[in-house]
Amino acid sequence: MKFFIDTASLSEIDDARSLGVLDGVTTNPTLIAKEGKRDYSEFKDHIKRICQMIDGPVSAEVTTLKASEMIVEGEELAAIHKNVIVKCPLTLDGIKAIKYFSSQGIKTNATLVFSPSQALMAAKAGAAFVSAFVGRLDDTSSDGISLIEQIVQIFRNYDIETEILVDSVRNPIHIVQAALLGADAATMPLKVLEQLALHPLTATGLDQFVQDAKVIQRGVKH
Ligand code: E4P
């Protein structure tokens, strides 16, 4: 399973990268705005800096709504760096733009996907990734992980190559459940990435080992 970090913060990307298990980065307009990037050229510079930090896919989202505008914007984003993945919303216009990009060999990430039919449309249009939002579905009392289960099943039925990217991750259980189902990738906040490695029994076990190690060292005769 590929691990992406869902942030536009350079320091968070650096922290995640230092673990050595990071495969890529996803951003969206909300995350970019949080970093204070409101001007378009600042936004593009920021994406470039992210691409220089990590050798893997970096999703950069279009901010326009019409297919023709998304195409212009997406081509500009794709020109920033070879690892940029153009993120397009899964709307009718988004599908047209994704289809165009795939005909040009530009990789896309279909975002804001909340149903298996949307995922199927993204795959038909040639998206490289389909971003299924589990947490936001959970927030509406729907079962986000069952969306992943359905997409995995459909994509298996037809040997679809589009990668299933689990988005809107809120906790490590989302990751474990998605991994059990065979999702290709997950994007998560730094906190969740770190939580994946933590367990209270590891912490208490280590405390004990550290205490016992002191006793052993005291017993050593030189
Ligand atoms: C998708 O564009 C996002 O990057 C993201 O995973 C959404 O997560 P959220 O629901 O926590 O905002």
Side-chain angles (χ1 to χ4, degrees):
M1 186 186 222
K2 291 174 190 163
F3 283 175
F4 298 159
I5 186 165
D6 198 25
T7 186
S9 155
L10 301 183
S11 69
E12 287 185 0
I13 293 167
D14 199 38
D15 284 354
R17 181 182 60 170
S18 72
L19 294 171
V21 298
L22 189 67
D23 298 298
V25 177
T26 57
T27 67
N28 63 33
T30 308
L31 296 170
I32 294 282
K34 259 192 183 168
E35 298 307 304
K37 311 292 168 204
R38 288 176 173 79
D39 169 79
Y40 197 66
S41 76
E42 265 186 33
F43 160 57
K44 289 201 295 183
D45 283 351
H46 198 71
I47 294 294
K48 192 174 184 179
R49 288 189 69 187
I50 294 174
C51 291
Q52 288 162 347
M53 291 177 76
I54 178 97
D55 186 21
V58 173
S59 287
E61 189 159 345
V62 296
T63 54
T64 47
L65 298 177
K66 285 189 187 156
S68 56
E69 295 166 346
M70 287 186 211
I71 287 170
V72 173
E73 200 182 345
E75 282 181 331
E76 278 183 40
L77 294 174
I80 295 174
H81 192 278
K82 65 178 174 49
N83 287 342
V84 167
I85 308 288
V86 179
K87 203 169 173 186
C88 299
L90 202 288
T91 57
L92 296 178
D93 278 81
I95 290 163
K96 290 178 199 169
I98 290 167
K99 181 70 192 177
Y100 169 81
F101 290 129
S102 98
S103 76
Q104 299 301 305
I106 293 174
K107 288 189 176 172
T108 52
N109 174 353
T111 190
L112 290 167
V113 166
F114 293 93
S115 76
S117 62
Q118 288 181 306
L120 191 52
M121 282 297 266
K124 287 287 290 178
F129 294 95
V130 56
S131 278
F133 281 48
V134 295
R136 291 193 197 186
L137 277 171
D138 287 354
D139 293 345
T140 61
S141 298
S142 302
D143 181 4
I145 284 296
S146 76
L147 170 62
I148 302 299
E149 190 173 9
Q150 291 174 77
I151 300 174
V152 167
Q153 182 64 58
I154 292 168
F155 282 17
R156 268 191 200 142
N157 289 348
Y158 296 99
D159 284 332
I160 287 172
E161 286 179 7
T162 300
E163 294 189 55
I164 302 167
L165 171 57
V166 183
D167 272 54
S168 190
V169 164
R170 304 270 195 260
N171 54 58
I173 302 290
H174 278 151
I175 303 295
V176 172
Q177 289 175 323
L180 285 168
L181 292 168
D184 301 284
T187 188
M188 63 204 93
L190 177 61
K191 184 179 168 204
V192 175
L193 182 65
E194 291 174 343
Q195 282 173 330
L196 287 173
L198 304 179
H199 195 286
L201 291 178
T202 304
T204 54
L206 186 59
D207 281 350
Q208 187 63 55
F209 287 158
V210 168
Q211 287 309 316
D212 293 343
K214 281 180 193 159
V215 171
I216 294 165
Q217 279 160 14
R218 271 203 298 272
V220 172
K221 292 198 168 70
H222 295 285

